[in-house]
Structure formats: structure tokens, C-alpha cells
Amino acid sequence: ATEVSFEGNGSMEGAQLVIPSVAKPFRSLSGSFEVNEKEAAVRDAAFSFGTATCNVNAIITDFDAPHIVGSLRTSTLNLNELRTVVQRRSDKDELTPQRQWADNLSLELLIEADSLYAGAVATGPVSSVCRMAERKCIFEPLEIAAFGGNLSGNLELETSGDNIAWKSRFTGRDIQLDRLMSQAGAEKTKATGNLEISGRLYGFAGTPDALKTMDGQLSVKATDGNIK
């Protein structure tokens, strides 16, 4: 067979991208790109997805089973919103070329966000490397500013069910008890002090009572604590 070689480059402005299993399109897509028979590169791209605006640089290889390596920067990583836009799918769904392409997609992406929302929990800045394949995402290492302190560890998300199932291994330092209790829905409980925590937890995100679904093992050390 004769191998075909090609290369090209260009730019886009205000484009829209629709992906199977995603309920909403990627809007206002702009940036420059380069492509040849082996890979495609996206440079300084920006797009809107849901309520978030994202900036991306990426290289895509193996077009039959695409593998994406790159970085994504956004103001807000909203797991509640992601739950509503990623469509449920059963094994009986028609195996279209678009669905097969999406099923074969894998990525390794540096993600940075100013905040993260999951259920009723809101955090500060987030940084992680996301590795995704077969509708499962693993964030490791994961660094989050939350409850006045810092969390580090990993997080695994499975998006094929009714909710976003998650499990995590982590440690936390300088967690402020009053902020933690407030986001846990215990506003009437007055608490002060700092926590050092470590644990292995699992549960479901994307629901108003996400914290109530948590289970696992948790070790907590309090300093200057006071609960009324």
C-alpha cells in the first residue's frame, strides 16, 4: 500500500464542535492548528463549554484511537454541570463511527482552575494531571486549596452511571473547621480550630447532598479545636 503524506496549518474563529455523548457543544472555538499524517497540534485555543471559558494547547496522535496530550486552563471546573452535559449511554446504543471514535479517545492533560464545584462544595485553585480512557478520569497528582487549607492526593471519576462516582486518597493540612462545617451543611454548629487529615474515601458527586454519600476511612487530628 502507498503511504500518503500531507501537512497543513490554519486558524479558526467562532467555530462549534459537537461530540457524541456530550449534550452541549463546545462553542466559540478559536485558535491555530497544524496537522500532518501522524499528528495534529492545537495552539493557544480557547472555547466555551457550558458556563466555563477554557484555554487549551494540545497535540493529538493516532487518529483512529486518538490520544491527546496537552494543557487546559479554566476559571471554574464545575462537576455539577459536567454531570448534566455528559449523556448517559447504554450498551444497546447504536455503534456509530462518531461513538466509536469517542470510545477510543484517551488523554493526558494538565488541568488548572481557579475553583472547583462538586455538589455543595466549592474550593479554591485546583491543579492536576488528568488521564482519561474508557469514560474514566484519574487526577494525579491533585492539589486543591480548600476550607482554608490544602488537599493533595488523587481522585478517580467514573461518569458512566446515573451520577459521577468518585474515590480518592488524600492528605489535608491547615483545614479550617468552621469552613468545613459550613460547607457540610452544619451552619448551626459553631466550630473553630484547624485539622490535619488523611483518608481514602468514595462517594457520588453532582448531587446537592454529595457529602452525605461519602464513605471510607478518615484520620483526623485537630488543634485548638472547639465545637458548640
Side-chain angles (χ1 to χ4, degrees):
T2 303
E3 292 186 1
V4 177
S5 298
F6 62 90
E7 63 179 25
N9 60 74
S11 62
M12 49 193 163
E13 185 74 30
Q16 178 170 289
L17 175 64
V18 177
I19 293 180
S21 79
V22 179
K24 293 184 179 181
F26 296 83
R27 299 173 288 105
S28 304
L29 184 61
S30 63
S32 61
F33 62 88
E34 301 170 1
V35 61
N36 58 43
E37 69 278 6
K38 294 183 179 180
E39 66 180 33
V42 179
R43 313 288 186 189
D44 300 321
F47 64 88
S48 296
F49 182 68
T51 58
T53 299
C54 305
N55 298 96
V56 175
N57 286 278
I59 295 176
I60 306 170
T61 57
D62 191 353
F63 298 135
D64 292 329
H67 181 64
I68 302 174
V69 177
S71 62
L72 180 148
R73 178 77 174 82
T74 183
S75 57
T76 302
L77 185 59
N78 192 331
L79 298 185
N80 302 332
E81 187 172 57
L82 287 176
R83 174 177 172 266
T84 67
V85 300
V86 176
Q87 297 175 332
R88 292 180 58 194
R89 190 192 64 203
S90 72
D91 293 335
K92 297 180 180 179
D93 290 344
E94 182 182 359
L95 184 60
T96 64
Q98 292 85 358
R99 173 187 154 182
Q100 187 173 13
W101 185 89
D103 285 349
N104 291 335
L105 177 68
S106 63
L107 64 82
E108 184 173 341
L109 202 63
L110 170 64
I111 297 177
E112 296 177 313
D114 295 330
S115 61
L116 178 146
Y117 289 90
V121 175
T123 78
V126 177
S127 176
S128 185
V129 175
C130 172
R131 297 173 178 86
M132 185 187 79
E134 299 179 354
R135 299 176 64 83
K136 180 180 292 186
C137 294
I138 299 175
F139 297 85
E140 188 174 20
L142 175 62
E143 301 288 338
I144 304 176
F147 313 118
N150 293 283
L151 297 170
S152 60
N154 66 12
L155 173 65
E156 182 176 316
L157 302 175
E158 173 62 63
T159 61
S160 61
D162 291 335
N163 297 302
I164 300 176
W166 63 270
K167 59 182 178 181
S168 178
R169 172 178 48 81
F170 62 91
T171 59
R173 296 182 179 277
D174 300 322
I175 304 300
Q176 295 179 14
L177 190 54
D178 57 341
R179 294 193 183 186
L180 177 62
M181 296 296 286
S182 176
Q183 293 211 35
E187 294 88 350
K188 295 182 180 180
T189 301
K190 295 182 179 180
T192 59
N194 293 330
L195 301 178
E196 307 291 321
I197 61 177
S198 62
R200 296 174 180 267
L201 299 175
Y202 57 90
F204 294 94
T207 62
D209 57 351
L211 286 176
K212 295 180 181 179
T213 70
M214 286 197 309
D215 202 351
Q217 298 177 337
L218 183 65
S219 174
V220 180
K221 179 182 178 181
T223 57
D224 301 322
N226 185 18
I227 300 178
K228 296 181 181 180

